[in-house]
Amino acid sequence: MDTALDLARWQFGITTVYHFLFVPMTISLAFLVAIMQTVWWRTGNEQWLRLTRLFGKLFLINFAMGIVTGIVQEFQFGMNWSSYSRFVGDIFGAPLAIEGLLAFFLESTFLGLWIFGWDRLKPGLHLMTIWIAAIGTALSAYFILAANSFMQNPVGYTMNAERGRAELTDFMAVLTNKVALITVPHTLFAAFMVGGGFVAAVAMWHLIRRPERDADAFRGAARLGAITLLIAGIGVVITGDIQGKVMTEVQPMKMAAAEALYEDADECAPFSVFTIGTLDGSKPLWSLEVPCLLSQLATGSFDGEVRGINSLNAEYAETYADSGLTDFSPNIPVTYWSFRLMMGLGFAAMAASAWILWTLRKGRLPRQGARSTRWLLATAIVLPLLPLFANSFGWIFTEMGRQPWVVFGLMPTEAGVSPSVSAAQVWTSMIGFTLLYGALAVVEVKLLLRYIGKGLPDANPPRHDDDSDRPLAFAY
């Protein structure tokens, strides 16, 4: 690995995956904190106010880290991918500008009102601020995913041959891209798996390690987190099934790569749960398969035809003869295993949430000293990582499965890299970012563990003084 292109791809991968560790947690925790505060507002039960304060603090730590890593993400785009930025700038500018001016504005402004408005805003108005901030996080995800979906399935543009760039002709087509319409709910459901797993894990840790403190509150939080994870997991499965069919329609090579399917399967294509193959991924040596499942995932029919890598490669070589590419398949081992790790870790998280709900059924609590409780504690410790890593592997699959295109069918990845940036410069920035990310990770984990370990803070219900009879400090 000694070229600027390879290094730029590694830097994109490192910064994107690292940034994406904070995104799903931020989206889901915003809504879960809003739900906790809503329960307190409706019932007056102070245990939900204390939970709101605890998880609100953890949410703010994560939100701040997400902003920092997002800024680095934009920097590496401008430095390493200037040709790509010029090519799609006309199209990406609109959704990303709306994301910044509308979604992030809502998110940050109303989050500020929520932080400083506890004793200054009336409870109903204060509650509204966290809900608007949460909606802002979801809107932000929508506009960013709409921009990314253009890279998977370009729509609403025309090619300006003179200027060598894609230009926007139909903004609504970009916003209603079929890939975006299914990717957005799939990503949001996956994000709620992360937040649900995190809330359930923190609560279960307290229930098992400190059962004498706030057991009722943490039992409620554990149930909320586990139910959220389980429902979101079902949503991920349903939207993922639809997404697989859309992917097969617009990017059949990505589906073929997900299964490492080299030859066309005319009917009843099997899905391999686990495969031992050659190092380059071109030949399976042993495989555990589910008959006809790949056909159903790709086409909606157990007898559907699924095209293989070889025939698609031949078709693309003819269709995109002027692209300069000769091999149109992505890295097969990466796409194959990232697809399975995404699904496997997601199903494992759903199983863990079902176990938590079973343990806490009908007012029960974990039995202290029991062997099953020790296993439950271990499960609670790894639970936040299962959906979090599932999200990351899903993102890796999405981006790697599009290769060798940076914009499918329009721009090869090698054409998007900055022509004036040397390998030494990319090395320098990549080492700098990696060290920065390592330091940020230490800070993030220490802050989270510190506040989690403290447990629930005091309720400190907000006080709203009735100052209607006070003299005005200023009047016209």
Side-chain angles (χ1 to χ4, degrees), residues 329-389:
S329 61
N331 186 309
I332 301 302
V334 171
T335 51
Y336 180 90
W337 286 110
S338 59
F339 192 64
R340 278 147 189 80
L341 287 169
M342 172 189 68
M343 292 193 297
L345 293 173
F347 283 126
M350 292 174 68
S353 68
W355 188 17
I356 289 173
L357 288 175
W358 174 257
T359 302
L360 302 179
R361 69 191 186 281
K362 298 180 179 178
R364 300 183 186 185
L365 293 173
R367 287 187 300 146
Q368 296 301 312
R371 179 177 297 178
S372 61
T373 300
R374 290 196 290 272
W375 280 106
L376 191 62
L377 177 62
T379 301
I381 291 173
V382 300
L383 179 57
L385 303 179
L386 297 177
L388 187 64
F389 286 163

Side-chain angles (χ1 to χ4, degrees), residues 192-472:
F192 274 96
M193 291 184 72
V194 175
F198 180 74
V199 171
V202 170
M204 287 303 295
W205 186 87
H206 278 280
L207 283 175
I208 296 173
R209 297 299 301 270
R210 300 172 178 173
E212 73 284 358
R213 293 174 55 182
D214 304 311
D216 288 342
F218 281 121
R219 183 178 179 278
R223 284 178 54 80
L224 172 64
I227 291 172
T228 300
L229 194 159
L230 204 55
I231 294 176
I234 295 171
V236 166
V237 172
I238 295 172
T239 54
D241 180 63
I242 301 171
Q243 191 178 33
K245 293 162 181 62
V246 173
M247 183 175 72
T248 305
E249 177 186 343
V250 301
Q251 295 174 291
M253 179 65 86
K254 188 186 286 188
M255 177 56 85
E259 179 56 27
L261 183 70
Y262 280 86
E263 302 299 332
D264 292 352
D266 295 335
E267 59 180 11
C268 193
F271 177 82
S272 57
V273 179
F274 183 85
T275 295
I276 299 174
T278 55
L279 290 179
D280 61 357
S282 61
K283 293 181 181 178
L285 301 176
W286 180 86
S287 184
L288 175 63
E289 296 180 337
V290 179
C292 304
L293 182 57
L294 181 62
S295 288
Q296 203 287 329
L297 291 175
T299 68
S301 168
F302 287 102
D303 294 326
E305 176 187 359
V306 184
R307 298 191 60 187
I309 295 169
N310 291 337
S311 70
L312 287 168
N313 229 347
E315 177 186 317
Y316 287 0
E318 186 175 338
T319 304
Y320 305 112
D322 58 350
S323 66
L325 299 172
T326 55
D327 184 1
F328 295 86
S329 61
N331 186 309
I332 301 302
V334 171
T335 51
Y336 180 90
W337 286 110
S338 59
F339 192 64
R340 278 147 189 80
L341 287 169
M342 172 189 68
M343 292 193 297
L345 293 173
F347 283 126
M350 292 174 68
S353 68
W355 188 17
I356 289 173
L357 288 175
W358 174 257
T359 302
L360 302 179
R361 69 191 186 281
K362 298 180 179 178
R364 300 183 186 185
L365 293 173
R367 287 187 300 146
Q368 296 301 312
R371 179 177 297 178
S372 61
T373 300
R374 290 196 290 272
W375 280 106
L376 191 62
L377 177 62
T379 301
I381 291 173
V382 300
L383 179 57
L385 303 179
L386 297 177
L388 187 64
F389 286 163
N391 271 256
S392 296
F393 281 116
W395 191 248
I396 290 171
F397 170 74
T398 298
E399 298 303 289
M400 288 297 292
R402 190 186 60 245
Q403 301 301 319
W405 302 102
V406 66
V407 180
F408 183 77
L410 297 180
M411 186 179 210
T413 302
E414 62 187 25
V417 73
S418 299
S420 59
V421 177
S422 67
Q425 289 171 315
V426 184
W427 262 121
T428 303
S429 60
M430 186 163 69
I431 292 172
F433 288 156
T434 303
L435 292 175
L436 172 64
Y437 280 172
L440 289 176
V442 172
V443 172
E444 161 95 359
V445 172
K446 279 193 170 183
L447 284 174
L448 290 178
L449 292 179
R450 177 183 175 186
Y451 285 108
I452 290 172
K454 286 184 176 179
L456 292 181
D458 295 333
N460 292 329
R463 295 176 298 177
H464 300 279
D465 297 333
D466 183 6
D467 58 355
S468 58
D469 56 346
R470 290 184 182 178
L472 294 175

Side-chain angles (χ1 to χ4, degrees), residues 34-50 52-53 118 123-124 126-127 459-462 464:
I35 291 172
M36 292 174 187
Q37 188 171 342
T38 302
V39 175
W40 165 69
W41 182 68
R42 291 295 301 272
T43 65
N45 187 337
E46 287 195 351
Q47 74 179 19
W48 287 101
L49 176 58
R50 299 174 70 197
T52 301
R53 291 191 184 279
W118 279 99
H126 183 256
L127 174 63
N460 292 329
H464 300 279

Side-chain angles (χ1 to χ4, degrees), residues 5-23:
L5 171 62
D6 292 329
L7 291 169
R9 292 183 66 185
W10 270 104
Q11 188 173 78
F12 173 83
I14 292 171
T15 56
T16 301
V17 170
Y18 190 84
H19 175 59
F20 200 62
L21 293 176
F22 303 99
V23 173

